[in-house]
Amino acid sequence: MFRPLTLASTRLTERFLPDPYVLVLLLTILVFVLGIAVEGQSPLAMVEHWGKGFWQLLEFSMQMLLVLVTGFVLASTPVFARLLGALATLARSPGQAVVLVTVVSLVASWVNWGFGLVIGALFARQLARRVRVDYPLLIASAYSGFVVWHGGLSGSVPLVIATPGHFTEKMIGVVPTSETIFAGFNLTIVLALFVLIPLANRLMLGHGARPVFVDPDRLTDPTPATGAVAERPAEHLEHSRLLALAIGGLGLAYLAVHVWGQGGGLNLNIVNFGFLMLGILLHGTPYRFLRSLEEAVKGAAGIIIQFPFYAGIMGMMVGSGLARDLSAWFVSISTAQTLPLFTFWSAGLLNILIPSGGGQWAVQSQVMLPAALELQADVPRTAMAVAWGDAWTNMIQPFWALPALAIAGLRAKDVMGYCLVILLLSGVVISLGFLFL
């Protein structure tokens, strides 16, 4: 079963999947035309929706850029590189490497999605230095763990509706995480994927269209040079361990206050802040930190240019009414029992065009929650269906794979064939979960 499926999937994506930048341009044109043809919008109105939305994800774009940069900087520190290297010694065969990186990615993504995106790709690089394994499959395995993030501790939808004062509180009240993240149906889906995804990745080993093996020397993270002997006062500052210790110490002190003193949780800003401060501290001097930073930003071009285009697509989807009407159509064919399932499917489809959990929830909640109340469907389950749909189609959405691809030095078409298989299998598991659990 896995051989023909994997072979067909990898050949399909290698032949027809364009560069992520070309894909976002094609999606932009598609949504522009659909807004005119389906919603009756004028071309001028669609242009306005696009332009108004184009810069709405600037803060998020910077956050994602820092996910890549700070994660790379931290991994290039001698201490962290040794830790990942030590964990990589547990794998002694290609199959063990694939399973190990998948499990690490699943755990990390369930704890925090930003952490999971970076740690999986960085760990895959370490494994590829020690085990001769198909590198695209290894990176795809690292990325595949990301599918569980919205059912985990950093899931934006369950955390939003568990927060007093959220924008749908008057409609559904405050929904505790015991009814969403830690509900039996959600934990069962997570557990099933923790078993299925490592097994599926292992079974795909050796069945791709064209296995790629890399020279371990190419994956060696550059160690910043210490530089010339400091002579001028400015150079002494650049090589000052005391300065790095002071700033890194301040950062860690803030994290301690935030987590233990104030009971704050992990979010993307906190993860990036922690990576940054640990990087400053563990590199030892500003000079070494800056050299590592220069190397890290080389792979950030895709994030910088593509995220505004996805924001423009989101602007057209919301402004034209396409997102609302698509959700409403799925509601129109639903019953109390099937609403979570159809919500999951509609959320998966919308995620391809609106790859932002918060943005998607803002749109779909206004359709799905009233429908759940009217049909007397399970509200927490319906909300989690949006969350899982948002995470599910990330497997074929290059938007989210950009940090991992930049770290790995691969193209989207190199890994998306394997991810397509995971999309199909995980879709079956999650669908059955919402239908029968």
Side-chain angles (χ1 to χ4, degrees):
M1 169 188 172
F2 270 85
R3 181 176 178 80
L5 178 61
T6 305
L7 187 60
S9 180
T10 52
R11 283 180 173 173
L12 178 69
T13 56
E14 281 187 3
R15 187 167 184 177
F16 295 107
L17 183 67
D19 182 88
Y21 173 65
V22 175
L23 180 61
V24 76
L25 298 184
L26 293 175
L27 289 175
T28 298
I29 295 171
L30 173 64
V31 174
F32 183 86
V33 172
L34 288 176
I36 297 171
V38 177
E39 297 295 335
Q41 296 279 311
S42 69
L44 180 59
M46 291 302 293
V47 168
E48 290 178 349
H49 296 323
W50 182 61
K52 289 179 181 178
F54 202 80
W55 301 116
Q56 288 184 351
L57 292 179
L58 276 181
E59 178 183 357
F60 183 63
S61 300
M62 187 63 178
Q63 289 174 324
M64 290 303 296
L65 180 63
L66 287 173
V67 164
L68 168 62
V69 171
T70 59
F72 186 97
V73 167
L74 179 58
S76 66
T77 61
V79 172
F80 202 80
R82 284 195 295 268
L83 287 174
L84 285 178
L87 184 59
T89 60
L90 297 176
R92 292 182 171 84
S93 68
Q96 290 177 353
V98 167
V99 171
L100 185 59
V101 75
T102 307
V103 171
V104 168
S105 176
L106 283 164
V107 173
S109 297
W110 191 81
V111 172
N112 181 268
W113 69 268
F115 183 66
L117 268 181
V118 173
I119 201 66
L122 294 174
F123 185 45
R125 284 170 59 96
Q126 288 283 358
L127 285 166
R129 295 173 188 171
R130 297 177 177 273
V131 179
R132 190 173 185 271
V133 58
D134 182 8
Y135 191 49
L137 173 59
L138 194 65
I139 297 300
S141 300
Y143 182 60
S144 65
F146 189 53
V147 75
V148 304
W149 84 268
H150 221 146
L153 301 181
S154 64
S156 56
V157 170
L159 293 183
V160 164
I161 62 177
T163 303
H166 67 87
F167 67 90
T168 56
E169 182 178 5
K170 292 183 179 179
M171 192 185 311
I172 62 172
V174 175
V175 181
T177 55
S178 60
E179 298 180 18
T180 53
I181 295 174
F182 298 107
F185 75 90
N186 187 67
L187 292 177
T188 301
I189 291 173
V190 170
L191 181 60
L193 293 176
F194 264 68
V195 174
L196 171 71
I197 295 178
L199 178 61
N201 286 332
R202 174 62 183 85
L203 290 174
M204 285 191 285
L205 184 63
H207 298 320
R210 288 183 297 176
V212 176
F213 303 98
V214 295
D215 182 353
D217 293 337
R218 291 180 53 199
L219 301 176
T220 301
D221 293 326
T223 301
T226 56
V229 177
E231 296 179 352
R232 295 173 296 177
E235 291 174 340
H236 281 287
L237 290 175
E238 291 174 0
H239 294 275
S240 171
R241 292 185 175 276
L242 182 60
L243 189 57
L245 182 63
I247 298 302
L250 282 175
L252 295 183
Y254 168 74
L255 288 175
V257 170
H258 173 80
V259 175
W260 290 291
Q262 301 175 353
L266 287 177
N267 56 46
L268 194 55
N269 287 335
I270 291 298
V271 169
N272 281 338
F273 186 84
F275 281 8
L276 176 61
M277 292 302 152
L278 283 172
I280 290 173
L281 187 64
L282 295 177
H283 272 293
T285 69
Y287 181 88
R288 290 176 60 88
F289 173 81
L290 289 173
R291 298 293 80 76
S292 177
L293 183 65
E294 290 172 0
E295 187 69 24
V297 298
K298 292 180 180 179
I303 292 176
I304 294 171
I305 198 61
Q306 290 178 43
F307 277 39
F309 280 95
Y310 277 109
I313 291 173
M314 185 170 72
M316 289 191 291
M317 288 291 297
V318 175
S320 68
L322 275 170
R324 180 194 63 246
D325 289 348
L326 178 63
S327 299
W329 181 80
F330 276 97
V331 167
S332 69
I333 61 173
S334 299
T335 65
Q337 289 71 36
T338 62
L339 180 64
L341 174 64
F342 289 144
T343 298
F344 166 64
W345 289 351
S346 69
L349 181 58
L350 272 180
N351 178 62
I352 297 175
L353 301 171
I354 308 179
S356 167
Q360 187 170 337
W361 176 243
V363 174
Q364 285 203 276
S365 64
Q366 304 306 306
V367 178
M368 297 306 181
L369 292 182
L373 294 172
E374 181 178 346
L375 294 172
Q376 297 184 334
D378 189 303
V379 169
R381 193 182 298 258
T382 302
M384 288 305 294
V386 175
W388 275 104
D390 170 72
W392 173 46
T393 48
N394 285 337
M395 291 298 97
I396 56 168
Q397 172 50 274
F399 177 91
W400 290 108
L402 289 175
L405 292 173
I407 291 170
L410 293 176
R411 301 166 300 170
K413 65 175 62 178
D414 295 326
V415 303
M416 283 299 157
Y418 299 110
C419 292
L420 178 57
V421 175
I422 297 299
L423 173 89
L424 297 174
L425 296 176
S426 62
V428 171
V429 170
I430 300 169
S431 296
L432 291 174
F434 280 114
L435 197 56
F436 295 113
L437 292 179

